[in-house]
Amino acid sequence: MLVTNSAQAGFILGTLNKNINKKSKASSQLALGEKIRHAGDDASGYAISEKMRVRIRSLNQADANVQNGASMLRVAEGAIQSQINLLRTVKERVINAHNDTNTDTDRMIIQKEISQYYSEINDIAAETTFNGKQLLLGNKVSESVKGWYRLDHAEKLEGSDTLGLISGTIETLDGQEGPFKTFGAATDDVAFDGYNIKTLSTESMSGGSDDVSNVISIRFSAYTSDSDLENRAFKILYPSGEEIFVFAHGTSHSYRGDNVHIVDLDSDSALERIIKKMNQEISNLLQLDYSSSSSFMKLTLTTRMAGAITNDTSLYNIEGTTLAGGDGYTAASSLTDLPTSRVEITNSQSGKDGATAGWTWDLSGYDTAESFIAQYVGQAIYHSGNSQYYEFIDSSTSPTTDSITKINGSTVIDLNSLRSSVSSGKSVAEAMTSLLSSKMGSSLVSSVTDSSGNVTGVKLNATVRGTEGNSQTISFKQGDLRDYTVDFQSLLSGVSGADIPGKLDGQGFRFYDATDKNKW
């Protein structure tokens, strides 16, 4: 038998097998609806697709969780709305019972209805569940409302004033039955406002001085001729711009630039023209004066604004300037190119900020925070410049009156923080300077030091710079709460031991706020 091997047939068979495999893979992908069936199809693509499947499943579960939570809240909302509806009905019944047209029997029936409503409210709370979880009771404790009532106005309990705890002088107040006793009256030395503010001492501020203006002078020698000045220019700078002045014979010349003023040398006097021009153009910015002698004439220009800011030469200055000619314009050279023996511009006085007035509080005598707190707790600093009270309290003593403010609208300064600052190594003067600065602001508070740089006190500054601050003051004041003494000692005279509760049972007194008759 003869066996032959055909290379062409083998090649065809191999190609057929490849096509069969591709067809099987395509059929499988088509059946599953997926391009990647397993890692062998595309390892990296398979990893990415599996990660996406996990994320999709987690998002689907999160959505299901949200839907379940929303369903639980809807169940709780329905139950709470039912309870609200019942409470509305209770309020209607309470108001109905308050009507004097009802008899005692009617009110008993209304009370039974109200009790039934409360029982139903409790039942709703106890029976509202979602998947076995109680929604309105919490996990452990179930509280039930036994019964209540609420009046829409203040009402005295009958017989509660038989002991005469308050020896009042007012029988009725805003239509309410008394007796009442007020804490104060408008006729008091300090008009009744709920508080009594005493002035303990007043300290005057001093040391304030006004700001100093900047002064620039232009000095012209008596030997300066018209030919020296002709086509010479200078400019005056001020915050909103500049003005340029050019000396010339006649006013027919044209000079390049804005705000150029010609000083006509053909007029009576060049210097008089300068003064007139300056007064006309910038007298609202500068004060102009001039003086003369046989050897010179001097212009003095003083800034109307004062203070160190006027030393800024970009805002206030007088300087020579040049103007380019050509194209119909006449050229001008700088006035300061002339020798100083002819023309000289000098700064004869620099601007200076005035001093701020103040009062120095010497704190060098306090070795401990406790000694300072003991003296000043309950007092307040009153600054006349801003009409503000800065009141010292000690929160560590709560609930005593030292821990509360006694002046309406005061800025509270808690001296308890002074203790921690001093215990950390600061002196009382250092700690108080920092504390006051944080409450009053750094502009009103500055430290006072000795020659060694140690803080010995604090300076309380005026709210304005200059001599105006000398009229401001610092006052130490004290606010006292108005009070009324309820004399239980005389009330319980002859009563002791176990008889005291029986004597006081059902008795009491009321506090009434005249600004709102519903505040009791």
Side-chain angles (χ1 to χ4, degrees):
M1 177 171 49
L2 179 63
V3 178
T4 62
N5 182 20
S6 172
Q8 184 176 6
F11 175 78
I12 293 172
L13 179 62
T15 302
L16 177 62
N17 289 334
K18 287 181 181 180
N19 290 337
I20 292 173
N21 290 336
K22 287 181 179 179
K23 177 178 176 298
S24 298
K25 181 178 179 180
S27 299
S28 176
Q29 289 174 335
L30 183 62
L32 294 175
E34 296 176 348
K35 181 179 179 180
I36 302 174
R37 300 163 300 159
H38 45 70
D41 292 335
D42 183 354
S44 60
Y46 182 77
I48 293 172
S49 67
E50 287 303 304
K51 187 183 297 183
M52 293 298 295
R53 285 192 181 97
V54 171
R55 187 173 182 183
I56 290 170
R57 291 182 64 182
S58 64
L59 290 175
N60 289 336
Q61 185 58 53
D63 179 66
N65 291 347
V66 172
Q67 296 299 328
N68 290 336
S71 299
M72 182 180 70
L73 291 176
R74 281 193 290 271
V75 172
E77 179 188 18
I80 292 173
Q81 186 61 52
S82 298
Q83 290 177 320
I84 291 173
N85 292 337
L86 289 170
L87 288 173
R88 288 172 178 164
T89 305
V90 169
K91 183 176 181 180
E92 292 175 357
R93 297 295 185 270
V94 169
I95 295 174
N96 184 16
H98 193 63
N99 192 332
D100 287 338
T101 61
N102 292 314
T103 64
D104 291 340
T105 301
D106 294 332
R107 291 191 175 96
M108 289 176 62
I109 296 173
I110 292 173
Q111 182 58 54
K112 288 182 180 179
E113 284 187 86
I114 292 174
S115 298
Q116 183 62 38
Y117 290 140
Y118 286 145
S119 177
E120 190 172 348
I121 290 172
N122 288 332
D123 290 342
I124 292 173
E127 296 173 6
T128 301
T129 61
F130 185 86
N131 193 28
K133 181 181 180 65
Q134 290 182 313
L135 302 181
L136 302 182
L137 284 182
N139 293 330
K140 297 180 180 179
V141 181
S142 172
E143 295 182 357
S144 63
V145 179
K146 300 299 183 183
W148 65 1
Y149 67 93
R150 178 177 179 233
L151 299 178
D152 59 359
H153 64 283
E155 191 173 278
K156 185 176 68 175
L157 183 65
E158 184 177 355
S160 64
D161 60 345
T162 56
L163 295 180
L165 290 173
I166 305 298
S167 57
T169 58
I170 301 175
E171 294 302 321
T172 60
L173 187 62
D174 287 341
Q176 301 297 323
E177 181 184 355
F180 295 101
K181 179 73 172 181
T182 62
F183 286 107
T187 56
D188 291 351
D189 291 339
V190 177
F192 171 56
D193 61 355
Y195 296 86
N196 183 18
I197 302 175
K198 300 176 182 177
T199 299
L200 304 178
S201 63
T202 299
E203 308 292 343
S204 299
M205 293 190 179
S206 61
S209 61
D210 290 330
D211 293 349
V212 176
S213 299
N214 192 1
V215 180
I216 297 178
S217 300
I218 306 177
R219 185 177 182 276
F220 293 88
S221 168
Y223 303 104
T224 304
S225 65
D226 285 1
S227 59
D228 291 331
L229 295 176
E230 186 172 10
N231 290 326
R232 298 284 182 175
F234 67 95
K235 64 181 177 180
I236 299 176
L237 298 176
Y238 53 93
S240 58
E242 64 181 30
E243 304 290 335
I244 298 174
F245 296 87
V246 184
F247 295 96
H249 284 287
T251 58
S252 60
H253 299 274
S254 294
Y255 294 96
R256 194 185 302 274
D258 298 325
N259 302 327
V260 177
H261 311 283
I262 297 175
V263 181
D264 187 2
L265 295 174
D266 291 335
S267 64
D268 295 337
S269 168
L271 293 182
E272 288 180 6
R273 292 296 298 171
I274 292 175
I275 294 172
K276 290 178 181 178
K277 283 289 186 181
M278 286 184 173
N279 274 323
Q280 178 182 348
E281 303 296 339
I282 59 169
S283 59
N284 63 320
L285 301 170
L286 297 170
Q287 175 67 43
L288 307 178
D289 298 291
Y290 73 97
S291 58
S292 62
S293 68
S294 59
S295 59
F296 68 89
M297 179 170 282
K298 183 170 70 174
L299 280 174
T300 303
L301 298 95
T302 304
T303 58
R304 293 196 179 277
M305 186 176 181
I309 190 174
T310 61
N311 296 326
D312 186 344
T313 55
S314 66
L315 299 176
Y316 299 95
N317 199 20
I318 298 176
E319 58 187 31
T321 186
T322 59
L323 301 176
D327 296 330
Y329 292 103
T330 302
S333 57
S334 172
L335 179 65
T336 54
D337 286 346
L338 290 172
T340 56
S341 60
R342 301 289 188 186
V343 177
E344 184 178 14
I345 300 176
T346 58
N347 182 215
S348 54
Q349 176 179 287
S350 297
K352 184 174 66 174
D353 289 340
T356 301
W359 171 74
T360 299
W361 189 5
D362 184 6
L363 301 175
S364 59
Y366 297 96
D367 297 328
T368 64
E370 297 302 329
S371 62
F372 180 87
I373 294 173
Q375 180 172 350
Y376 287 102
V377 67
Q379 296 187 27
I381 294 174
Y382 175 76
H383 197 305
S384 69
N386 60 9
S387 301
Q388 291 292 315
Y389 290 92
Y390 303 90
E391 187 173 6
F392 298 124
I393 69 165
D394 182 6
S395 62
S396 71
T397 63
S398 179
T400 67
T401 55
D402 283 344
S403 66
I404 62 175
T405 61
K406 306 176 186 67
I407 299 177
N408 281 329
S410 65
T411 297
V412 177
I413 300 178
D414 189 356
L415 296 180
N416 188 34
S417 62
L418 199 66
R419 295 184 173 95
S420 58
S421 297
V422 173
S423 63
S424 66
K426 288 186 177 181
S427 67
V428 173
E430 286 179 297
M432 272 305 297
T433 300
S434 298
L435 182 58
L436 289 176
S437 180
S438 67
K439 296 295 183 178
M440 300 178 69
S442 57
S443 62
L444 296 182
V445 177
S446 55
S447 60
V448 178
T449 58
D450 58 17
S451 58
S452 301
N454 299 315
V455 178
T456 59
V458 58
K459 181 183 177 185
L460 302 180
N461 302 314
T463 56
V464 293
R465 194 171 65 215
T467 55
E468 182 182 346
N470 293 331
S471 61
Q472 296 184 8
T473 59
I474 293 292
S475 299
F476 285 88
K477 296 179 179 284
Q478 183 171 330
D480 292 328
L481 292 175
R482 294 177 185 263
D483 60 81
Y484 179 86
T485 301
V486 179
D487 188 2
F488 284 98
Q489 184 174 0
S490 61
L491 174 67
L492 298 174
S493 177
V495 182
S496 62
D499 295 332
I500 293 177
K503 181 72 172 179
L504 297 178
D505 183 30
Q507 309 299 314
F509 53 91
R510 295 169 289 165
F511 283 97
Y512 177 64
D513 181 355
T515 64
D516 185 346
K517 64 181 181 181
N518 290 319
K519 290 183 181 178
W520 287 85

